[in-house]
Amino acid sequence: MQIGVVGLGRMGANIVRRLTKAGHSCVVFDADAATTAKLAAEGAEGTASLADLCGKLAAPRTVWVMLPAGAVTETAITEIANHLAPGDTIIDGGNTFWKDDIRRSKALAERGLTYLDIGTSGGVWGLERGYCLMIGGDTATVTRLDPIFRALAPGRGDIPETRHRDGRASTAEEGYLHCGPSGAGHYVKMIHNGIEYGMMQAFAEGFDILRNAASPRLPEAERLTLDVAEVAEVWRRGSVVTSWLLDLTAEALAKDPALAEFSGHVSDSGEGRWTVEAAIEQATPAEVLTSALYTRFRSRQDHTFAEKVLSAMRKGFGGHQESK
Protein backbone atom coordinates (compact mmCIF):
# COMPACT_ATOMS: atom_id res chain seq x y z
CA MET A 1 0.00 0.00 0.00
CA GLN A 2 0.96 3.65 -0.36
CA ILE A 3 0.99 5.92 2.69
CA GLY A 4 2.25 9.40 3.51
CA VAL A 5 4.26 9.90 6.71
CA VAL A 6 4.78 13.34 8.24
CA GLY A 7 7.37 13.69 11.00
CA LEU A 8 10.57 11.66 10.66
CA GLY A 9 11.93 11.73 14.18
CA ARG A 10 13.09 8.68 16.16
CA MET A 11 9.82 6.78 15.74
CA GLY A 12 8.52 8.29 12.50
CA ALA A 13 11.66 7.43 10.56
CA ASN A 14 11.66 3.85 11.80
CA ILE A 15 7.97 3.46 10.96
CA VAL A 16 8.88 4.41 7.38
CA ARG A 17 11.79 1.97 7.36
CA ARG A 18 9.68 -0.89 8.69
CA LEU A 19 6.89 -0.25 6.17
CA THR A 20 9.37 0.06 3.30
CA LYS A 21 11.03 -3.19 4.31
CA ALA A 22 7.61 -4.87 4.21
CA GLY A 23 7.04 -3.68 0.64
CA HIS A 24 4.81 -0.65 1.25
CA SER A 25 5.37 2.66 -0.56
CA CYS A 26 6.06 5.63 1.73
CA VAL A 27 5.84 9.28 0.69
CA VAL A 28 7.52 11.34 3.40
CA PHE A 29 7.96 14.88 4.70
CA ASP A 30 9.80 16.46 7.60
CA ALA A 31 10.40 20.11 8.42
CA ASP A 32 14.11 19.27 8.28
CA ALA A 33 14.86 18.78 4.58
CA ALA A 34 18.01 16.82 5.39
CA THR A 35 15.97 14.29 7.34
CA THR A 36 13.57 13.89 4.43
CA ALA A 37 16.50 13.41 2.06
CA LYS A 38 17.99 10.74 4.30
CA LEU A 39 14.79 8.64 4.20
CA ALA A 40 14.48 9.23 0.47
CA ALA A 41 17.97 7.79 0.02
CA GLU A 42 16.75 4.68 1.86
CA GLY A 43 13.84 4.06 -0.49
CA ALA A 44 11.04 6.43 0.50
CA GLU A 45 9.76 9.20 -1.79
CA GLY A 46 10.71 12.57 -0.33
CA THR A 47 8.63 15.72 -0.66
CA ALA A 48 9.23 19.43 -0.08
CA SER A 49 5.95 20.34 1.63
CA LEU A 50 2.70 18.95 3.00
CA ALA A 51 0.93 20.01 -0.19
CA ASP A 52 3.57 18.20 -2.24
CA LEU A 53 3.16 15.07 -0.12
CA CYS A 54 -0.62 15.01 -0.50
CA GLY A 55 -0.31 15.61 -4.22
CA LYS A 56 1.88 12.54 -4.67
CA LEU A 57 -0.58 10.16 -2.98
CA ALA A 58 -3.19 8.19 -4.90
CA ALA A 59 -6.81 8.19 -3.70
CA PRO A 60 -7.97 7.15 -1.22
CA ARG A 61 -5.05 8.92 0.42
CA THR A 62 -3.74 8.13 3.89
CA VAL A 63 -1.38 10.42 5.81
CA TRP A 64 0.21 9.26 9.07
CA VAL A 65 1.27 12.17 11.32
CA MET A 66 4.04 11.34 13.79
CA LEU A 67 4.69 14.62 15.61
CA PRO A 68 4.76 15.74 19.26
CA ALA A 69 1.33 16.15 20.82
CA GLY A 70 -0.08 19.66 20.95
CA ALA A 71 0.05 22.67 18.68
CA VAL A 72 2.50 21.25 16.15
CA THR A 73 0.27 18.22 15.50
CA GLU A 74 -2.89 20.35 15.44
CA THR A 75 -1.37 22.72 12.89
CA ALA A 76 -0.09 19.90 10.68
CA ILE A 77 -3.41 18.05 10.63
CA THR A 78 -5.29 21.25 9.81
CA GLU A 79 -3.00 21.95 6.85
CA ILE A 80 -3.02 18.35 5.62
CA ALA A 81 -6.81 18.30 5.69
CA ASN A 82 -6.86 21.32 3.39
CA HIS A 83 -5.00 19.28 0.75
CA LEU A 84 -7.15 16.15 1.00
CA ALA A 85 -10.56 15.20 -0.40
CA PRO A 86 -13.57 13.21 0.87
CA GLY A 87 -12.66 9.56 1.37
CA ASP A 88 -9.09 10.31 2.49
CA THR A 89 -7.72 9.48 5.95
CA ILE A 90 -5.51 11.21 8.50
CA ILE A 91 -3.80 9.15 11.22
CA ASP A 92 -2.36 10.66 14.39
CA GLY A 93 0.22 8.20 15.71
CA GLY A 94 1.60 10.49 18.43
CA ASN A 95 0.52 10.89 22.03
CA THR A 96 -2.46 13.21 21.57
CA PHE A 97 -5.00 13.74 24.37
CA TRP A 98 -7.93 11.44 23.59
CA LYS A 99 -10.62 14.11 23.93
CA ASP A 100 -8.88 16.10 21.19
CA ASP A 101 -9.24 13.03 18.95
CA ILE A 102 -13.01 13.04 19.41
CA ARG A 103 -13.17 16.72 18.49
CA ARG A 104 -10.90 16.31 15.48
CA SER A 105 -12.68 13.24 14.19
CA LYS A 106 -16.02 15.01 14.24
CA ALA A 107 -14.65 18.12 12.49
CA LEU A 108 -12.91 16.07 9.78
CA ALA A 109 -15.97 13.88 9.25
CA GLU A 110 -17.96 16.99 8.34
CA ARG A 111 -15.50 17.39 5.43
CA GLY A 112 -15.76 13.74 4.39
CA LEU A 113 -12.39 12.79 5.87
CA THR A 114 -11.79 9.88 8.23
CA TYR A 115 -9.49 10.10 11.22
CA LEU A 116 -7.73 7.39 13.22
CA ASP A 117 -5.96 7.87 16.53
CA ILE A 118 -3.24 5.28 17.04
CA GLY A 119 -1.36 4.86 20.27
CA THR A 120 2.06 3.62 19.20
CA SER A 121 4.39 1.85 21.63
CA GLY A 122 7.82 0.54 20.80
CA GLY A 123 10.11 3.51 21.11
CA VAL A 124 13.46 3.48 19.37
CA TRP A 125 13.32 -0.34 19.19
CA GLY A 126 10.23 -0.44 16.97
CA LEU A 127 12.13 -1.00 13.73
CA GLU A 128 13.52 -4.27 15.07
CA ARG A 129 10.82 -5.39 17.51
CA GLY A 130 7.72 -3.94 15.85
CA TYR A 131 5.17 -1.52 17.28
CA CYS A 132 2.26 -2.30 19.58
CA LEU A 133 -0.63 -0.36 18.02
CA MET A 134 -3.79 0.74 19.85
CA ILE A 135 -6.25 2.03 17.25
CA GLY A 136 -9.34 4.21 17.54
CA GLY A 137 -11.71 5.21 14.76
CA ASP A 138 -13.96 4.04 11.95
CA THR A 139 -14.13 0.25 11.51
CA ALA A 140 -14.18 0.29 7.71
CA THR A 141 -11.06 2.48 7.57
CA VAL A 142 -9.23 0.31 10.10
CA THR A 143 -10.06 -2.75 8.02
CA ARG A 144 -8.87 -1.11 4.80
CA LEU A 145 -5.54 -0.18 6.34
CA ASP A 146 -4.97 -3.55 8.00
CA PRO A 147 -1.91 -4.34 5.81
CA ILE A 148 -0.19 -1.24 7.19
CA PHE A 149 -0.91 -2.17 10.79
CA ARG A 150 0.08 -5.79 10.30
CA ALA A 151 3.44 -4.72 8.83
CA LEU A 152 4.19 -2.39 11.74
CA ALA A 153 3.09 -4.75 14.51
CA PRO A 154 5.50 -7.31 16.00
CA GLY A 155 3.35 -10.35 15.17
CA ARG A 156 2.96 -13.38 17.42
CA GLY A 157 6.69 -14.07 17.66
CA ASP A 158 7.69 -16.60 20.29
CA ILE A 159 5.36 -15.32 23.02
CA PRO A 160 3.33 -18.25 24.41
CA GLU A 161 -0.40 -18.20 23.71
CA THR A 162 -2.65 -16.95 26.51
CA ARG A 163 -4.86 -19.69 27.89
CA HIS A 164 -8.66 -19.44 27.70
CA ARG A 165 -8.69 -17.24 24.58
CA ASP A 166 -10.38 -19.91 22.46
CA GLY A 167 -12.99 -18.43 20.14
CA ARG A 168 -11.68 -14.86 20.28
CA ALA A 169 -11.31 -13.47 16.75
CA SER A 170 -8.84 -10.64 17.36
CA THR A 171 -5.62 -9.13 16.06
CA ALA A 172 -4.42 -8.55 19.62
CA GLU A 173 -2.16 -11.60 19.43
CA GLU A 174 -0.44 -9.95 16.45
CA GLY A 175 0.33 -6.80 18.46
CA TYR A 176 -2.33 -4.41 17.18
CA LEU A 177 -5.95 -3.83 18.13
CA HIS A 178 -8.92 -1.75 17.03
CA CYS A 179 -9.86 -0.57 20.52
CA GLY A 180 -13.05 1.32 19.64
CA PRO A 181 -14.32 4.62 18.20
CA SER A 182 -12.36 7.85 17.91
CA GLY A 183 -10.38 8.54 21.05
CA ALA A 184 -10.21 4.90 22.13
CA GLY A 185 -6.74 4.30 20.72
CA HIS A 186 -5.10 7.18 22.52
CA TYR A 187 -7.13 6.50 25.66
CA VAL A 188 -5.74 2.96 25.86
CA LYS A 189 -2.22 4.26 25.13
CA MET A 190 -2.64 6.90 27.86
CA ILE A 191 -3.41 4.25 30.46
CA HIS A 192 -0.57 2.11 29.09
CA ASN A 193 1.84 4.96 29.76
CA GLY A 194 0.36 5.60 33.19
CA ILE A 195 0.98 1.96 34.10
CA GLU A 196 4.47 2.29 32.67
CA TYR A 197 5.14 5.10 35.16
CA GLY A 198 4.14 2.84 38.04
CA MET A 199 6.22 -0.12 36.85
CA MET A 200 9.27 2.05 36.31
CA GLN A 201 8.88 3.64 39.73
CA ALA A 202 8.70 0.23 41.41
CA PHE A 203 11.95 -0.89 39.78
CA ALA A 204 13.61 2.44 40.54
CA GLU A 205 12.71 2.34 44.25
CA GLY A 206 13.68 -1.31 44.56
CA PHE A 207 17.15 -0.76 43.13
CA ASP A 208 17.60 2.32 45.30
CA ILE A 209 16.90 0.19 48.40
CA LEU A 210 19.33 -2.48 47.20
CA ARG A 211 22.05 0.10 46.59
CA ASN A 212 21.55 1.57 50.07
CA ALA A 213 21.66 -1.78 51.88
CA ALA A 214 25.21 -0.82 52.98
CA SER A 215 24.12 2.60 54.26
CA PRO A 216 26.02 3.94 57.29
CA ARG A 217 22.61 4.67 58.79
CA LEU A 218 22.25 0.92 59.40
CA PRO A 219 23.90 -1.05 62.20
CA GLU A 220 27.28 -2.24 60.90
CA ALA A 221 26.39 -5.91 61.35
CA GLU A 222 23.31 -5.47 59.13
CA ARG A 223 24.95 -3.70 56.22
CA LEU A 224 24.95 -5.57 52.92
CA THR A 225 27.11 -4.70 49.94
CA LEU A 226 25.09 -5.81 46.92
CA ASP A 227 26.03 -5.77 43.25
CA VAL A 228 22.92 -4.18 41.75
CA ALA A 229 23.98 -5.02 38.20
CA GLU A 230 24.20 -8.71 39.10
CA VAL A 231 20.86 -8.60 40.91
CA ALA A 232 19.24 -7.07 37.83
CA GLU A 233 20.74 -9.81 35.67
CA VAL A 234 19.62 -12.71 37.87
CA TRP A 235 16.08 -11.27 38.02
CA ARG A 236 15.97 -11.39 34.21
CA ARG A 237 16.28 -15.18 34.39
CA GLY A 238 12.95 -16.72 35.34
CA SER A 239 11.77 -14.31 38.03
CA VAL A 240 8.21 -13.00 38.13
CA VAL A 241 9.41 -9.41 37.54
CA THR A 242 11.05 -10.25 34.21
CA SER A 243 10.20 -7.54 31.66
CA TRP A 244 11.61 -5.31 28.96
CA LEU A 245 11.96 -2.52 31.52
CA LEU A 246 14.10 -4.82 33.65
CA ASP A 247 16.17 -5.72 30.57
CA LEU A 248 16.87 -2.03 29.96
CA THR A 249 17.73 -1.48 33.63
CA ALA A 250 20.11 -4.44 33.67
CA GLU A 251 21.86 -3.13 30.56
CA ALA A 252 22.29 0.35 32.03
CA LEU A 253 23.61 -1.01 35.35
CA ALA A 254 26.01 -3.38 33.58
CA LYS A 255 27.45 -0.39 31.73
CA ASP A 256 27.79 1.70 34.90
CA PRO A 257 26.38 0.58 38.28
CA ALA A 258 26.53 4.19 39.51
CA LEU A 259 24.58 5.50 36.48
CA ALA A 260 26.87 8.52 36.51
CA GLU A 261 25.71 9.78 33.10
CA PHE A 262 22.19 10.36 34.43
CA SER A 263 21.22 13.39 36.46
CA GLY A 264 18.09 11.95 38.06
CA HIS A 265 15.96 14.74 36.56
CA VAL A 266 12.96 12.83 35.17
CA SER A 267 10.53 14.38 32.71
CA ASP A 268 6.96 13.28 32.06
CA SER A 269 5.34 13.04 28.64
CA GLY A 270 1.93 14.34 29.72
CA GLU A 271 0.16 11.00 29.48
CA GLY A 272 0.88 10.23 33.13
CA ARG A 273 -0.94 13.44 34.06
CA TRP A 274 -3.85 12.60 31.77
CA THR A 275 -4.11 9.13 33.33
CA VAL A 276 -4.41 10.64 36.80
CA GLU A 277 -6.96 13.18 35.53
CA ALA A 278 -9.02 10.35 34.02
CA ALA A 279 -8.93 8.51 37.34
CA ILE A 280 -10.12 11.65 39.13
CA GLU A 281 -12.98 12.15 36.64
CA GLN A 282 -14.13 8.56 37.23
CA ALA A 283 -13.41 8.61 40.97
CA THR A 284 -11.25 5.53 40.37
CA PRO A 285 -8.43 5.05 42.93
CA ALA A 286 -4.97 5.18 41.32
CA GLU A 287 -2.57 5.59 44.23
CA VAL A 288 0.48 3.99 42.62
CA LEU A 289 0.19 5.82 39.30
CA THR A 290 -0.42 9.16 41.03
CA SER A 291 2.54 8.68 43.35
CA ALA A 292 4.79 7.76 40.40
CA LEU A 293 3.80 10.96 38.60
CA TYR A 294 4.44 13.12 41.68
CA THR A 295 7.85 11.50 42.14
CA ARG A 296 8.82 12.72 38.68
CA PHE A 297 7.80 16.22 39.70
CA ARG A 298 9.94 15.98 42.84
CA SER A 299 12.91 14.63 40.86
CA ARG A 300 13.33 18.03 39.24
CA GLN A 301 14.16 19.49 42.65
CA ASP A 302 15.97 16.65 44.42
CA HIS A 303 17.54 13.60 42.77
CA THR A 304 18.13 10.09 44.13
CA PHE A 305 19.62 6.94 42.63
CA ALA A 306 16.03 5.82 41.99
CA GLU A 307 15.53 8.74 39.64
CA LYS A 308 18.75 7.84 37.81
CA VAL A 309 17.29 4.37 37.24
CA LEU A 310 14.13 5.98 35.84
CA SER A 311 16.23 8.13 33.50
CA ALA A 312 18.17 5.07 32.35
CA MET A 313 14.93 3.25 31.47
CA ARG A 314 13.52 6.25 29.60
CA LYS A 315 16.70 6.56 27.55
CA GLY A 316 16.67 2.81 26.92
CA PHE A 317 13.19 2.52 25.41
CA GLY A 318 12.60 5.99 24.05
CA GLY A 319 15.97 7.62 23.52
CA HIS A 320 15.05 10.35 26.03
CA GLN A 321 18.13 12.18 27.33
CA GLU A 322 17.26 13.96 30.55
CA SER A 323 18.74 17.39 31.19
CA LYS A 324 21.64 17.72 33.60
Side-chain angles (χ1 to χ4, degrees), residues 40 58 101-102 127 138 170 174 182 240:
D101 293 315
I102 295 174
L127 175 59
D138 172 68
S170 169
E174 303 293 335
S182 295
V240 297

Side-chain angles (χ1 to χ4, degrees), residues 11 15 64 66 93-95 118-123 131-134 189:
M11 288 183 69
I15 283 174
W64 184 305
M66 203 66 187
N95 286 330
I118 301 184
T120 309
S121 182
Y131 297 93
C132 176
L133 304 176
M134 295 144 270
K189 177 60 161 52

Side-chain angles (χ1 to χ4, degrees), residues 49-65:
S49 66
L50 294 177
D52 186 21
L53 178 141
C54 294
K56 289 183 177 179
L57 294 173
R61 294 172 288 187
T62 301
V63 181
W64 184 305
V65 178

Side-chain angles (χ1 to χ4, degrees), residues 230-246:
E230 291 300 289
V231 172
E233 187 61 29
V234 76
W235 282 355
R236 293 183 62 226
R237 314 290 172 170
S239 84
V240 297
V241 296
T242 297
S243 68
W244 187 26
L245 291 174
L246 179 59

